Amino acid sequence: MAVQNCNPALSASAVSPPYPMAHPGYGKRAVSDQRPPHADDFALLPFRERYVAGFIERLPEGAAMSVKCLAKQLPLYGQQAISSALTALSVAGHLRRVRCAVGDGDEVRWVFRTYWSRTAHDNEWWANRLAPAPVRESVPVAAPVSVSVPMPDPVPDPVREAVPAPAPAPVREPQPQRSTPSPAYLALAGLGRVDARLALSAADCTALEALAEQWFARGVDADYLTGALTAGLPARVDSPVGLVRHRLAGKIPPALPTAPTPPPAGTPARRVMMECTECGTPGRPEALPDGLCQPCRQPATPTATPVAAPPAERDVTQLVAGLRDLLKSP
């Protein structure tokens, strides 16, 4: 009986009919950081995985990578065997299945790709290679070139050297300009207009401005600050500045976590989601070590065979019939 050629180096162009290509944007994608091709690239793999890996290695970029297409071109193995071989190649670090979001705005769509590497890589390398990261397009800007022109040596002038140089005029320091009052200062200055018992002087507002600015740094506004300082005042306030200082220090609101800064406009994000090679469950690259989800890495243990239920009690009529037979017997 003739045996089909099972050489792992079977060329994809030798199969008939020609191997199908995936839709644009889908299919096989070769990664960088690979060694040059060598005959011993997959020597450590079992025979089946070595056979399938040698075939995938010779597929062109963008070739269809579904189990059905591979099994149709490799009749030596069925779809279940091809699926198991792809899982083993994923664990060995040669391939990862991912979903990539392409397009902008309302034109975003998911494409399914299989990244292939003849050189095996660990999980950390694949996670760094496939992790979502903002793509920043930087336009190189030419740095200004400064040209230094050598100055000629000064020629001594005996007439100018004889006349003493005039003394430089004194330079007047610029007077500091009065800046616009901060929101914290204005909120403190307006306390007396809300409640006369908390009327503060200009010096008091300046002394308490730093404490009030801490409130604004935690996301509150002037109305919130005024309400917190004027609520529940005693009938008589002997020291407005002392009471306001005490409340500013003791009633400061908690600091809330700030929202993440959105990426600048015009900076698209490379959205990549890996798929489990075995079952196709999507997830982040770091959540799918070896390209497998947790259920596929730890298959459920087979349950024990259920114990057969005890036989049911005999019917009452059967018992009565048995007793009658015993009474009739000699």
Side-chain angles (χ1 to χ4, degrees):
M1 183 177 64
V3 180
Q4 295 189 10
N5 181 17
C6 55
N7 183 9
L10 178 64
S11 174
S13 60
V15 296
S16 180
Y19 193 86
M21 300 296 293
H23 294 288
Y26 293 70
K28 175 188 173 183
R29 289 293 183 273
V31 300
S32 57
D33 299 341
Q34 299 190 55
R35 296 191 300 267
H38 195 269
D40 298 335
D41 285 334
F42 311 108
L44 300 179
L45 296 175
F47 179 81
R48 182 185 63 185
E49 284 71 20
R50 186 166 70 250
Y51 181 86
V52 177
F55 182 81
I56 295 176
E57 170 63 22
R58 287 160 179 80
L59 289 178
E61 194 81 356
M65 289 293 293
S66 65
V67 174
K68 185 176 181 180
C69 290
L70 290 172
K72 187 176 181 180
Q73 297 294 334
L74 298 175
L76 190 63
Y77 300 107
Q79 296 187 20
Q80 184 62 37
I82 295 295
S83 177
S84 300
L86 294 179
T87 300
L89 292 175
S90 178
V91 174
H94 290 286
L95 69 85
R96 291 291 187 271
R97 293 190 183 274
V98 300
R99 300 181 184 181
C100 302
V102 297
D104 297 323
D106 297 335
E107 301 296 330
V108 176
R109 60 188 179 92
W110 289 97
V111 297
F112 302 86
R113 298 172 179 171
T114 300
Y115 284 90
W116 171 259
S117 172
R118 84 175 68 91
T119 304
H121 295 287
D122 55 8
N123 293 321
E124 183 179 0
W125 186 93
W126 280 109
N128 294 333
R129 174 65 174 79
L130 302 177
V135 180
R136 300 179 182 271
E137 299 180 357
S138 58
V139 180
V141 180
V145 180
S146 59
V147 180
S148 59
V149 180
M151 300 298 294
D153 297 334
V155 179
D157 190 350
V159 177
R160 290 186 178 181
E161 291 182 355
V163 179
V171 180
R172 295 183 179 181
E173 297 181 358
Q175 298 294 332
Q177 299 180 358
R178 187 175 182 180
S179 59
T180 304
S182 65
Y185 183 93
L186 295 176
L188 293 173
L191 291 177
R193 294 176 174 83
V194 177
D195 197 313
R197 290 170 291 183
L198 294 184
L200 301 176
S201 64
D204 295 339
C205 294
T206 303
L208 300 176
E209 184 178 3
L211 290 176
E213 286 179 348
Q214 297 180 11
W215 286 55
F216 283 88
R218 300 194 177 191
V220 304
D221 54 5
D223 295 337
Y224 184 95
L225 177 66
T226 302
L229 296 179
T230 57
L233 290 177
R236 179 180 177 181
V237 179
D238 297 329
S239 176
V241 62
L243 178 61
V244 172
R245 180 183 289 109
H246 177 74
R247 290 196 168 189
L248 285 174
K251 300 179 65 175
I252 185 170
L256 299 178
T258 58
T261 304
T267 304
R270 181 169 58 90
R271 287 158 290 182
V272 177
M273 184 177 297
M274 189 183 295
E275 278 190 346
C276 176
T277 309
E278 182 72 20
C279 64
T281 300
R284 300 187 306 273
E286 60 272 13
L288 298 175
D290 297 334
L292 302 176
C293 62
Q294 185 176 2
C296 293
R297 292 197 314 271
Q298 300 175 357
T301 57
T303 57
T305 305
V307 181
E313 297 181 356
R314 289 182 293 180
D315 191 69
V316 177
T317 56
Q318 296 179 357
L319 291 175
V320 174
L323 292 175
R324 287 178 179 175
D325 294 341
L326 290 175
L327 292 176
K328 290 179 181 180
S329 60

